[in-house]
Amino acid sequence: MKKMNRALLGILFLGFMSCSTDPEPLVYGTDVCHFCKMTLMDQKFGAELVTKKGKVYKFDDMNCFLNFYNSGYELAEDFHHRLVIDYANPGKLIDAANSFYLKSAAIHSPMNGQVAAFESKATMDTFKKEWKAIYLGWGEVTTQYK
């Protein structure tokens, strides 16, 4: 009986762990973009969506991220996390809705999305001048790929 209880507790524990809504770090050179199926390579770009049920979707570019996000495959309200990579801090995931975005032909992202995300407005402003880019907020960037 004790073995059965331990086994049941183990199964329940694993079940709770699999429902985690915590973000996962992007593993460059290993992870594959959910949308285009290419391996994530450039640490200045990438994104991640995590559903309220714990399903994680990883992307190599804002182009793939937003095309999937706008596809209706998952409802926007079902996402617990919407994360993008901070261009100025390669590999660092930041909240997509509170990020600052630049769009420019000078931005050479993996799938030619031409969009970079920044956690800091001051940092974004530096790149904005250099790239002659236009600023986009979250609402504007989500409509770029509709």
Side-chain angles (χ1 to χ4, degrees):
M1 189 70 164
K2 283 185 179 182
K3 286 183 182 181
M4 191 172 201
N5 286 341
R6 285 185 193 159
L8 184 59
L9 283 173
I11 291 169
L12 288 172
F13 178 74
L14 288 174
F16 286 123
M17 283 184 55
S18 67
C19 293
S20 171
T21 60
D22 292 340
E24 295 178 0
L26 299 181
V27 181
Y28 292 90
T30 301
D31 284 339
V32 174
C33 176
H34 182 78
F35 192 78
C36 73
K37 308 303 182 209
M38 291 183 66
T39 303
L40 280 67
M41 298 302 289
D42 191 337
Q43 293 185 19
K44 292 182 180 181
F45 300 98
E48 183 172 289
L49 291 167
V50 183
T51 68
K52 292 176 181 175
K53 292 182 179 181
K55 174 74 175 159
V56 177
Y57 298 98
K58 297 180 180 187
F59 305 93
D60 64 346
D61 188 294
M62 289 297 291
N63 187 349
C64 294
F65 169 69
L66 292 169
N67 274 304
F68 179 80
Y69 184 78
N70 291 325
S71 73
Y73 185 80
E74 297 269 3
L75 299 175
E77 58 266 17
D78 289 338
F79 292 114
H80 186 71
H81 293 286
R82 295 177 306 253
L83 304 163
V84 293
I85 292 294
D86 179 3
Y87 183 90
N89 294 292
K92 181 181 181 185
L93 287 166
I94 57 177
D95 180 59
N98 295 314
S99 297
F100 303 91
Y101 298 91
L102 291 178
K103 183 168 178 72
S104 170
I107 300 170
H108 302 290
S109 60
M111 295 302 292
N112 202 29
Q114 300 183 340
V115 173
F118 298 87
E119 185 173 35
S120 158
K121 184 180 181 316
T123 304
M124 180 211 62
D125 285 339
T126 302
F127 284 95
K128 184 179 180 199
K129 290 177 187 173
E130 180 183 331
W131 292 335
K132 297 182 177 87
I134 59 167
Y135 164 76
L136 300 170
W138 173 245
E140 295 165 314
V141 81
T142 59
T143 63
Q144 289 294 304
Y145 299 94
K146 279 191 175 182

